[in-house]
Amino acid sequence: MSEDEPEVSRPKRVSRFDRPTPPRDWRWWVGGLGKTLIATGLLLFGFVAYQLWGTGIETARAQDSLGNEFEELLAATPATTPAPTNTTTKPNASTPGDSTPPDTAPDDSVEDATTTAPVPVATLPPVTEGDPIGRIEMPRIGVGKFVVAGVDKDVLKNGPGHYPETPMPGQLGNSAIAGHRTTFGQPFFDIDKLQNGDEIIVTTLAGRFVYRVTGQQIVSPSDYQVVATTDPTTATLTLTSCHPKYTARERIIVSAELDVAASSPVGAATINYGRPIEAAAATADPDPSNTVVDPTTSVDSTAADDQATDDGLGTEATGTLAVQDPTIAAEPPSASDDDQIEDGIADAFSDGWFSDPGANGQVALWGLLLAAIGIVSYLISRTVKRNWVGLLVGVVPFVVTLYFFFQNVNRLLPPNL
């Protein structure tokens, strides 16, 4: 540029906050619609990310807490001792202190008759929904999670849940456990990869129980009978989750049977954690002669009944639970008791894990707070005429609030167990 040429001044950049208001013609409306759709898309992507990964944060924290609690319970629980066995010995067998050698020829006229009753359940702390009752491990798919009592939507956020209407793991009957497949840590994401013979290890306060997979099936949400006990003399385990992945259209069922040789002694069935409610009556035996108690302890029946009422467990005052001898036929439960247990299982199996209308108020509250944070951030940017200032001030509180907003929106939707 020569000295004779005038200097050309460059136009000063005008802040978007100082620009005149554009006319509200069709271009303005289309632009606004585009921005709205972009913001909605980002929110939807954020919500999907929250469901797939954000819910896992909640579950991971809950699992840490459950692990500490379960370890404390395990340390405070006395070891369970096997029940005595009734053995009839051969007449020619030697007895302790007898120096006479037995006959070498066996006596085929008399056979061993050994009957082992289930192990009486030790005194355990009261169990309420959400408490840890054990740890489930599936080496084939790399799962190791603490199991909680109950299967409602709030409980299953913390980990796999045990159906209270079924026996505990390690007890006679069919113990059933449900778990999320795509949300809240996805504990059962790959249970379809379990194969026959694979181990499912459940550790409870009563011991370590090894189950082996025997089969897998897909059923409808109304086929709740798969978690009911069909053979009360055999210890089995059923895992339930939703199928296919990312939907709740059907249920995937994995069945397993206890490997007695690799497990702690099996216990007698206890429904609803021994709590004296209507559902538990279905397993009660009105005939006291059909119970096995600790022979080393003398118990006053009145005191035992009072204690059972006070502590909320079906335990005797001396620390053992009367259990039914499976070799003796018990009086069948009444029809009303049977219906109550069936109703509880059916509700939990079909839709007990889904929407929570009580979250409507929380959704509205967190939504208003999100809007308020957005407005305040905009006003700050407008005041200083710098977009990045408002963004810097509002991004952290907006993300935190958005997390809780998504958390409550998730309560309103079927979260794809």
Side-chain angles (χ1 to χ4, degrees), residues 276-302:
I277 65 171
E278 293 80 5
T283 57
D285 184 4
D287 184 359
S289 65
N290 291 346
T291 58
V292 178
V293 296
D294 186 348
T296 63
T297 308
S298 175
V299 183
D300 178 73
S301 60
T302 303

Side-chain angles (χ1 to χ4, degrees), residues 76-370:
T77 302
T80 304
T81 56
T85 59
N86 300 321
T87 305
T88 302
T89 59
K90 299 177 183 179
N92 290 331
S94 61
T95 57
D98 185 1
S99 59
T100 305
D103 294 340
T104 56
D107 184 359
D108 295 334
S109 62
V110 181
E111 296 181 355
D112 285 340
T114 303
T115 302
T116 303
V119 176
V121 180
T123 300
L124 302 177
V127 176
T128 58
E129 273 64 19
D131 289 346
I133 63 166
R135 177 178 171 83
I136 185 170
E137 300 170 75
M138 291 177 270
R140 162 76 69 175
I141 57 177
V143 169
K145 299 288 183 181
F146 289 98
V147 180
V148 293
V151 291
D152 68 28
K153 53 192 172 296
D154 292 329
V155 168
L156 286 180
K157 293 178 181 179
N158 300 330
H162 170 254
Y163 289 80
E165 297 84 3
T166 68
M168 286 276 287
Q171 295 181 348
L172 294 176
N174 185 37
S175 179
I177 297 176
H180 282 289
R181 201 169 182 196
T182 58
T183 57
F184 296 101
Q186 309 171 330
F188 287 1
F189 186 79
D190 286 326
I191 65 168
D192 57 317
K193 296 181 181 178
L194 291 173
Q195 302 175 8
N196 286 359
D198 284 347
E199 288 185 344
I200 301 176
I201 305 166
V202 184
T203 304
T204 71
L205 299 182
R208 182 177 183 270
F209 303 96
V210 179
Y211 292 85
R212 297 198 179 274
V213 175
T214 57
Q216 186 181 126
Q217 59 180 315
I218 307 298
V219 302
S220 72
S222 61
D223 293 337
Y224 62 88
Q225 294 87 355
V226 293
V227 300
T229 294
T230 57
D231 183 1
T233 64
T234 303
T236 58
L237 178 71
T238 297
L239 306 183
T240 72
S241 194
C242 278
H243 181 83
K245 292 177 180 177
Y246 309 105
T247 75
R249 188 171 67 245
E250 297 174 309
R251 299 287 181 269
I252 182 171
I253 308 300
V254 173
S255 303
E257 189 168 331
L258 185 69
D259 185 343
V260 177
S263 305
S264 299
V266 68
T270 303
I271 304 299
N272 202 48
Y273 317 116
R275 295 176 301 189
I277 65 171
E278 293 80 5
T283 57
D285 184 4
D287 184 359
S289 65
N290 291 346
T291 58
V292 178
V293 296
D294 186 348
T296 63
T297 308
S298 175
V299 183
D300 178 73
S301 60
T302 303
D305 292 341
D306 293 342
Q307 176 69 14
T309 303
D310 291 342
D311 62 14
L313 295 168
T315 54
E316 296 178 350
T318 57
T320 57
L321 173 67
V323 297
Q324 183 175 333
D325 185 347
T327 63
I328 302 175
E331 180 179 331
S334 66
S336 61
D337 293 335
D338 218 10
D339 290 343
Q340 287 170 342
I341 288 188
E342 271 202 22
D343 290 343
I345 293 178
D347 291 342
F349 187 75
S350 61
D351 59 2
W353 308 309
F354 299 139
S355 58
D356 178 11
N360 286 317
Q362 292 293 318
V363 170
L365 176 64
W366 290 106
L368 289 174
L369 188 55
L370 274 177

